[in-house]
Amino acid sequence: MYLSRLQHALVARQHAGLFRQSHTITQYQGRHITVNDRRYLNFSANDYLGLAQDPMIQMALAEGAQRFGVGSTGSPLVTGYHDAHQRLSEQIADWLGFERVLLFSSGFAANLTMLQTLAADNDFLLLDKLSHASLIDAARQHKGRFKRFTHNDLAALARLLPELPTDDCHSLVVTEGVFSMDGDSPDLLGMSALCQARQAALLLDDAHGLGVLGEQGRGSWFAQGLAAPDIYCYMANFGKALGVGGAFLAASKTVIEYIEQFGRHYIYSTALSPALCAAVSKSIELVKRDQWRRDKLADNIGHFSRLATAAGIPCLTSTSAIQAVMLGDSDRAMAVSQRLRDEGIWLTAIRPPTVPPDSARLRVTLSASHEPQDIKNLINTLEQILLC
Ligand SMILES: Cc1ncc(COP(=O)(O)O)c(C=O)c1O
């Protein structure tokens, strides 16, 4: 009886053309991946700076394992917090200018912790309509009021946001530095000013901004002229531009101390591997040092946009490494993705429920590891497929 309920849901998903499957990658080389013995030009990884296979980071991981250990052996408040965690936390705090940092095993866990811990039962949570699943899940479990405002629409936010907090109801506004499926950004300066005027807290998920935007890759908030104290709590992860895995929350000493005491995900979960912390540490050194990676990525984004516009490819407006080729219908998106695969290009179709109904798309992610010829090849192939 229990299984039949699951089977029913699985069949329904299949019939809707929304069944998802993972593909085993046998070799990852940045701009190329190998799947089932075939090599593809890769436009679907979040490895924006081409660091996931960097030899120096690989070496740091191996040396970190020998020096600090493979497993952390416990949760952070028991035996899981090592020298490697301390160093990495301090390095991030120093890099970004936040008072303190806490490490998490994933961005999903960090986002859940951020909202579940910082929003008191009576508080009002306001999330951008296109927020990541982890933020939505946390907000859905919130006992108090929760509303989603129109994507990147400051006026819509202003209409929902109370003029001032009351003693037992504070407002928390949650947004992302770069939206993962559309690749666009909110006006963070405007949002911060609104939050300050209404005494609301601003919480930022910068999974796709850290490393890529701002001086030394400090992120979208820095690129837009915000200062660390403007953000009540900042989340970013290590599995995108930094090329590793894991995540962190950064904030004032009081906010981080509060999460350390009351954040259940933080307290009751095994800490990140110390070796991984050493790898992330090396990655941050490279991110800060190698401005050429951000410059090359920016060149690639410009190149893609010019060619896509000239070819009439239907892209959402975006100046980030995430470019959405809008196809609408899920079956069509799957068919175009397959045709590209036949031509040796790996570009995953993104369908509902990851994106809103009728907005299936190909999510192109550009990287500093791409060469101009790769982008030309993608656009030419897409043009041929879409026009016929
Ligand atoms: C905007 C955003 N937030 C959070 C996450 C979750 O991060 P992680 O993959 O580290 O769990 C992702 C990753 O998909 C994301 O795109």
Side-chain angles (χ1 to χ4, degrees):
M1 185 180 106
Y2 294 108
L3 278 186
S4 72
R5 197 172 58 190
L6 308 189
Q7 282 156 351
H8 188 74
L10 289 170
V11 169
R13 180 156 275 202
Q14 243 150 1
H15 282 166
L18 298 176
F19 202 78
R20 303 147 187 239
Q21 270 171 310
S22 50
H23 301 271
T24 305
I25 293 170
T26 47
Q27 208 174 18
Y28 176 85
Q29 297 164 308
R31 54 198 276 262
H32 289 116
I33 52 172
T34 305
V35 181
N36 287 336
D37 293 331
R38 180 165 181 195
R39 202 163 91 121
Y40 297 88
L41 192 52
N42 173 25
F43 281 101
S44 283
N46 294 319
D47 183 16
Y48 303 122
L49 299 179
L51 285 170
Q53 293 292 318
D54 187 275
M56 285 202 273
I57 301 176
Q58 289 172 334
M59 185 91 79
L61 182 69
E63 284 175 4
Q66 283 183 334
R67 188 161 164 212
F68 302 112
V70 176
S72 67
T73 77
S75 56
L77 301 181
V78 185
T79 57
Y81 194 76
H82 299 225
D83 202 23
H85 299 86
Q86 168 109 23
R87 284 170 193 228
L88 176 59
S89 305
E90 286 174 2
Q91 182 187 18
I92 297 169
D94 182 54
W95 176 31
L96 305 182
F98 285 89
E99 286 178 3
R100 273 199 65 195
V101 162
L102 280 188
L103 305 175
F104 289 83
S105 52
S106 75
F108 207 106
N111 270 344
L112 285 180
T113 310
M114 175 167 78
L115 295 200
Q116 288 173 346
T117 315
L118 296 179
D121 284 356
N122 289 332
D123 284 349
F124 183 22
L125 270 183
L126 288 132
L127 264 68
D128 186 285
K129 196 110 191 163
L130 297 189
S131 293
H132 187 261
S134 51
L135 297 167
I136 294 170
D137 283 6
R140 280 191 179 142
Q141 288 165 19
H142 176 56
K143 292 198 177 77
R145 266 201 310 154
F146 147 52
K147 279 221 180 317
R148 291 162 77 179
F149 56 91
T150 312
H151 178 52
N152 283 344
D153 187 339
L154 268 187
L157 173 62
R159 281 193 295 278
L160 292 171
L161 195 57
E163 288 299 325
L164 282 177
T166 60
D167 280 349
D168 66 348
C169 178
H170 292 219
S171 300
L172 285 79
V173 174
V174 188
T175 191
E176 297 179 19
V178 177
F179 279 84
S180 55
M181 293 299 142
D182 286 23
D184 55 354
S185 297
D187 166 9
L188 287 174
L189 265 185
M191 201 173 278
S192 166
L194 177 64
C195 287
Q196 279 175 25
R198 309 269 179 105
Q199 295 180 24
L202 178 61
L203 287 73
L204 183 66
D205 171 339
D206 208 16
H208 301 277
L210 186 77
V212 176
L213 297 172
E215 195 191 323
Q216 292 190 344
R218 289 188 180 101
S220 61
W221 60 285
F222 198 85
Q224 290 203 33
L226 257 61
D230 297 329
I231 303 170
Y232 186 58
C233 194
Y234 178 75
M235 192 301 289
N237 50 12
F238 307 134
K240 314 274 186 202
L242 272 59
V244 188
F248 69 93
L249 292 179
S252 64
K253 188 169 168 292
T254 307
V255 166
I256 293 297
E257 210 161 81
Y258 184 82
I259 296 171
E260 202 172 27
Q261 295 303 317
F262 299 104
R264 293 169 65 81
H265 259 282
Y266 183 73
I267 299 167
Y268 299 110
S269 182
T270 302
L272 263 188
S273 146
L276 210 80
C277 293
V280 174
S281 221
K282 176 54 74 179
S283 175
I284 292 173
E285 273 177 37
L286 302 185
V287 164
K288 287 169 69 177
R289 189 194 71 186
D290 293 349
Q291 179 56 36
W292 68 265
R293 293 180 191 274
R294 281 180 286 281
D295 294 343
K296 187 161 177 224
L297 176 61
D299 287 348
N300 284 342
I301 296 168
H303 192 50
F304 176 92
S305 297
R306 279 188 300 279
L307 294 183
T309 306
I313 292 176
C315 290
L316 288 183
T317 305
S318 156
T319 54
S320 77
I322 301 166
Q323 299 282 331
V325 178
M326 300 305 287
L327 297 174
D329 179 65
S330 293
D331 289 342
R332 177 146 190 262
M334 289 301 281
V336 175
S337 173
Q338 183 57 52
R339 291 276 308 277
L340 284 165
R341 218 169 276 179
D342 296 342
E343 300 297 326
I345 295 175
W346 197 272
L347 179 46
T348 308
I350 309 284
R351 296 166 288 163
T354 305
V355 289
D358 303 318
S359 73
R361 65 198 65 186
L362 301 173
R363 177 179 180 264
V364 178
T365 47
L366 298 163
S367 164
S369 63
H370 287 125
E371 295 302 330
Q373 187 53 40
D374 301 335
I375 293 165
K376 193 155 188 279
N377 184 354
L378 168 66
I379 297 289
N380 288 347
T381 315
L382 254 180
E383 192 179 9
Q384 277 166 22
I385 295 171
L386 293 180
L387 290 182
C388 67

